[in-house]
């Protein structure tokens, strides 16, 4: 269907048909045949206009997607190295080109209809003259009296009482139909179409001819619709441009200066800082695309923001791997495990915030997660009687201890049993309480059990057989 459409729109089939029949047409019926053949040219515009409409629609969609960074994300997901870079005015320019093409098409229709209207007048004059015979041949009977046609089809000067050419009078008076200067003819029609499309046909004075008035109505509605379309998309592009400029300013002034100090708080190896900095910049930029009011305070604020696409998920995992992979390799019970196991655990580590004085783990209650403390101070203590009495409690204070994993010994042993249920979770023998606001990354007991079941060969296989 697409190839047939292209062939019809490119090949000058109607023009060849007209040239073939034109030289042999005679008689009054030949006027109607000529008008019919000319009408075939209009059909060629339909397969031409539709692809232009689809192109403009697709370009506008791609430009808006590009502004919202969706194309860039899709490229990163498919591991493509090329980047789409377009100037800010490109989308507006595409719509202006569409407006210009519409002006050209209307100008061409005006030129075509002026010829049709002149043929109508010839038919009218021939009907009022006995013995009138129409022919397109210039060979036979070259010398003829055309005074009658000039009287009944007055152009210079016009006489609307005899025959009203309406909006096509200027085309006949200017002589563009007889002209062989194609650039002059093209610009004349284009300028007419652009002027009247821009003015919504308000300056056109039509005759009482029905199709002419319909053409004026089409120009008026098309001008209004295209103007609103152009104005709407131009406004959208400007708003998106301003929004992206605002994001860039916020990244430069409020985000980028905070990244390296924040990374130093998490005690990452110095050789990973630059890689992490680039990753965090990319993730924060994606977050700002979704929420311009986002404020970066810590890793919790970044990783707790759920972005909708798979590319951002990969970036989140990259951040978690940098944060915790080396720490997990130091944990007893995990340091001999394969990287795939540790990366899977990292994937399930979710950020949590505990306010000042909140219990993260209570002594004597089921231990349903193991976690890293990444920000803030915690109190770790146990009581002899299992209660909350302070007189018999042994209290240990840990200041910003970020490399310790809490609850790993009990939960790892629990997760290695295949048929064990949540009702048999180990009971915590200690309590962990936030001294001030605390950020932790925790893996739930059920997620840990799923990881163990996914890699049974890396754990105590005797429990799984």
């Amino acid at each position: 269907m697409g190839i047939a459409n292209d062939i019809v729109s490119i090949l000058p089939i109607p023009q060849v048909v007209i040239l073939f029949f034109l030289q042999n047409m005679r008689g009054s019926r030949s006027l109607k045949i000529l008008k019919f053949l000319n009408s075939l040219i209009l059909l060629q515009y339909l397969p031409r206009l539709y692809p232009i409409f689809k192109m403009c629609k697709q370009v506008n969609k791609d430009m808006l997607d590009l502004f919202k960074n969706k194309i860039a994300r899709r490229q990163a997901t498919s591991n493509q190295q090329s980047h789409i870079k377009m100037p800010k005015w490109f989308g507006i320019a595409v719509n202006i080109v569409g407006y210009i093409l519409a002006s050209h098409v209307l100008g061409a229709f005006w030129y075509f209809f002026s010829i049709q209207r002149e043929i109508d007048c010839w038919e009218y004059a021939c009907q009022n003259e006995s013995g009138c015979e129409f022919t397109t041949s210039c060979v036979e009977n070259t010398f003829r009296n055309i005074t009658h046609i000039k009287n009944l089809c007055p152009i210079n000067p016009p006489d609307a009482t005899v025959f009203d050419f309406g909006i096509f009078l200027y085309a006949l008076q200017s002589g563009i139909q007889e002209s062989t200067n194609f650039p002059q003819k093209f610009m004349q029609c284009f300028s007419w179409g652009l002027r009247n499309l821009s003015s919504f046909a308000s300056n056109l004075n039509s005759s009482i001819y029905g199709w002419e008035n319909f053409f004026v109505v089409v120009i008026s509605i098309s001008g209004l619709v295209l103007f609103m379309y152009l104005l709407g998309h131009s406004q959208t592009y400007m708003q998106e441009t301003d929004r992206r400029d605002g994001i860039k300013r916020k990244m430069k002034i409020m985000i980028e200066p905070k990244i390296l100090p924040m990374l130093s708080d998490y005690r990452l190896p110095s050789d990973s800082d630059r890689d992490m900095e680039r990753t965090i910049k990319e993730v924060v930029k994606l977050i700002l695309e979704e929420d311009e009011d986002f404020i970066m305070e810590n890793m919790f604020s970044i990783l707790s923001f759920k972005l909708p696409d798979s590319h951002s998920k990969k970036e989140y995992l990259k951040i978690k791997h940098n944060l915790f992979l080396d720490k997990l390799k130091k944990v007893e019970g995990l340091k001999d495990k394969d990287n795939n196991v540790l990366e899977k655990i990292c994937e399930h580590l979710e950020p949590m915030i505990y306010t000042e004085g909140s219990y993260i783990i209570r002594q004597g209650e089921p231990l349903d997660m193991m976690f890293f403390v990444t920000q803030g101070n915690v109190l770790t203590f146990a009581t002899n009687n299992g209660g909350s009495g302070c007189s018999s409690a042994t209290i240990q204070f840990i200041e910003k201890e970020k490399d310790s994993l809490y609850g790993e010994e009990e939960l790892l042993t629990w997760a290695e049993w295949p048929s064990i249920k949540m009702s048999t979770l180990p009971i915590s023998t200690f309590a962990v309480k936030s001294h001030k606001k605390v950020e932790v990354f925790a893996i739930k007991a059920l997620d840990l059990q799923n990881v163990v079941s996914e890699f049974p060969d890396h754990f105590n296989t005797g429990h799984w057989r």
Side-chain angles (χ1 to χ4, degrees):
M1 184 66 181
I3 297 176
N5 182 77
D6 293 340
I7 292 175
V8 172
S9 62
I10 293 174
L11 295 180
I13 298 174
Q15 291 86 342
V16 173
V17 173
I18 289 173
L19 289 175
F20 179 76
F21 285 102
L22 189 63
Q23 57 184 347
N24 299 316
M25 287 196 300
R26 290 175 178 80
S28 58
R29 290 188 62 189
S30 60
L31 285 169
K32 295 181 179 179
I33 296 174
L34 180 61
K35 288 169 63 177
F36 171 74
L37 292 175
N38 285 338
S39 300
L40 294 178
I41 300 176
L42 292 180
L43 298 178
Q44 201 172 30
Y45 275 94
L46 296 179
R48 289 179 181 179
L49 288 174
Y50 182 66
I52 293 173
F53 168 75
K54 285 185 66 177
M55 181 197 70
C56 290
K57 185 177 180 181
Q58 186 61 42
V59 168
N60 282 319
K61 181 180 181 298
D62 289 345
M63 285 299 297
L64 288 175
D65 286 347
L66 182 61
F67 272 122
K68 295 175 181 178
N69 217 27
K70 291 180 181 178
I71 292 179
R73 294 182 201 175
R74 287 200 297 269
Q75 283 187 326
T77 304
S78 59
N79 295 321
Q80 295 179 359
Q81 298 300 320
S82 58
H83 297 279
I84 295 179
K85 291 185 179 180
M86 296 182 185
K88 298 175 182 178
W89 48 262
F90 181 78
I92 299 175
V94 168
N95 286 282
I96 292 176
V97 169
Y99 198 84
I100 291 173
L101 287 174
S103 302
H104 160 63
V105 170
L106 289 176
F109 281 5
W110 171 71
Y111 174 81
F112 168 78
F113 289 144
S114 69
I115 297 175
Q116 295 289 79
R117 193 64 176 139
E118 188 172 29
I119 294 174
D120 288 339
C121 188
W122 292 349
E123 185 178 11
Y124 164 75
C126 200
Q127 289 173 355
N128 286 275
E129 178 69 17
S130 60
C132 174
E133 182 182 359
F134 176 81
T135 179
T136 58
S137 175
C138 296
V139 178
E140 301 176 0
N141 302 321
T142 304
F143 299 101
R144 290 194 172 190
N145 183 9
I146 59 173
T147 305
H148 180 68
I149 292 181
K150 287 188 175 181
N151 290 334
L152 292 179
C153 300
I155 297 174
N156 275 319
D159 189 349
T161 60
V162 178
F163 194 93
D164 191 357
F165 287 99
I167 65 174
F168 308 113
L169 178 63
Y170 176 68
L172 301 173
Q173 288 179 337
S174 64
I176 59 171
Q177 295 168 332
E178 296 85 5
S179 174
T180 57
N181 188 336
F182 178 76
Q184 183 185 41
K185 184 179 293 191
F186 174 84
M187 291 305 300
Q188 186 79 18
C189 295
F190 169 68
S191 64
W192 186 93
L194 183 60
R195 283 186 284 111
N196 288 286
L197 189 66
S198 302
S199 63
F200 312 140
S202 60
N203 298 323
L204 294 178
N205 296 318
S206 60
S207 66
I208 61 172
Y209 182 53
W211 285 109
E212 180 183 342
N213 283 280
F214 178 75
F215 182 53
V216 172
V217 170
V218 169
I219 295 175
S220 180
I221 294 175
S222 300
L224 181 61
V225 171
L226 288 172
F227 177 77
M228 293 174 62
Y229 185 80
L230 174 62
L231 184 64
H233 278 88
S234 299
Q235 187 176 10
T236 300
Y237 292 138
M238 295 304 294
Q239 288 175 346
E240 288 293 334
T241 300
D242 291 341
R243 189 176 72 87
R244 289 179 65 83
D245 288 343
I247 289 174
K248 288 181 180 178
R249 287 193 298 270
K250 189 170 184 178
M251 285 290 297
K252 187 174 182 179
I253 298 173
M254 300 178 63
I255 303 297
E256 293 180 3
K258 294 181 179 179
I259 293 178
L260 286 177
M262 181 181 71
L263 293 179
S264 65
D265 284 345
Y266 286 86
R267 298 180 185 175
L268 292 171
S270 58
D271 57 348
S272 67
D273 278 0
R274 290 302 173 187
D275 184 51
M276 273 286 282
E277 184 182 12
R278 286 192 296 269
T279 304
I280 290 174
K281 281 182 182 179
E282 183 177 352
V283 171
V284 172
K285 188 175 180 181
L286 294 178
I287 294 174
L288 287 172
E289 293 282 352
E290 300 291 332
D291 182 7
E292 295 178 54
D293 298 325
F294 171 76
I295 298 175
M296 186 187 73
E297 295 179 349
N298 45 33
M299 287 297 180
F300 174 82
S301 62
I302 297 173
L303 296 177
S304 61
F305 195 102
K306 301 302 180 183
L307 287 167
D309 53 59
S310 58
H311 173 57
S312 58
K313 184 178 180 181
K314 291 181 180 179
E315 297 301 320
Y316 281 167
L317 291 179
K318 190 175 180 181
I319 293 175
K320 289 181 180 180
H321 292 166
N322 278 297
L323 283 174
F324 302 111
L325 203 56
D326 289 339
K327 295 181 176 65
L328 287 172
K329 290 178 180 179
K330 299 176 183 178
V331 174
E332 192 67 34
L334 293 176
K335 59 184 178 181
D336 58 338
K337 300 298 185 284
D338 188 84
N339 263 12
N340 292 330
V341 179
L342 301 182
E343 287 176 0
K344 199 67 177 178
I345 293 176
C346 288
E347 182 179 335
H348 290 287
L349 286 170
E350 295 297 333
M352 299 179 183
I353 290 290
Y354 290 88
T355 57
E356 181 179 345
S358 300
Y359 276 92
I360 303 172
I361 296 175
R362 289 180 181 270
Q363 183 178 354
E365 293 186 359
L367 184 64
D368 64 343
M369 65 179 182
M370 62 181 191
F371 59 91
F372 285 103
V373 177
T374 52
Q375 292 281 294
N377 303 324
V378 296
L379 292 170
T380 303
F381 61 92
T383 57
N384 295 332
N385 56 10
S388 58
C390 295
S391 58
S392 59
T394 302
I395 300 176
Q396 180 184 1
F397 180 74
I398 304 174
E399 183 177 356
K400 289 190 176 182
E401 183 59 53
K402 302 173 186 177
D403 295 332
S404 297
L405 182 62
Y406 291 78
E408 77 283 0
E409 184 178 349
E410 296 88 342
L411 273 187
L412 282 173
T413 302
W414 172 86
E416 287 177 347
W417 291 91
S419 58
I420 204 161
K421 298 180 181 179
M422 293 292 290
S423 58
T424 59
L425 280 171
I427 302 301
S428 177
T429 58
F430 59 90
V432 180
K433 183 179 181 181
S434 61
H435 182 61
K436 291 185 177 179
K437 184 178 179 181
V438 171
E439 176 193 76
V440 304
F441 280 78
I443 178 172
K444 295 292 186 180
L446 191 58
D447 291 330
L448 180 61
Q449 192 177 54
N450 291 335
V451 172
V452 174
S453 64
E454 187 175 345
F455 302 95
D457 294 339
H458 294 276
F459 290 88
N460 191 335
T461 55
H463 294 165
W464 285 87
R465 290 178 178 175

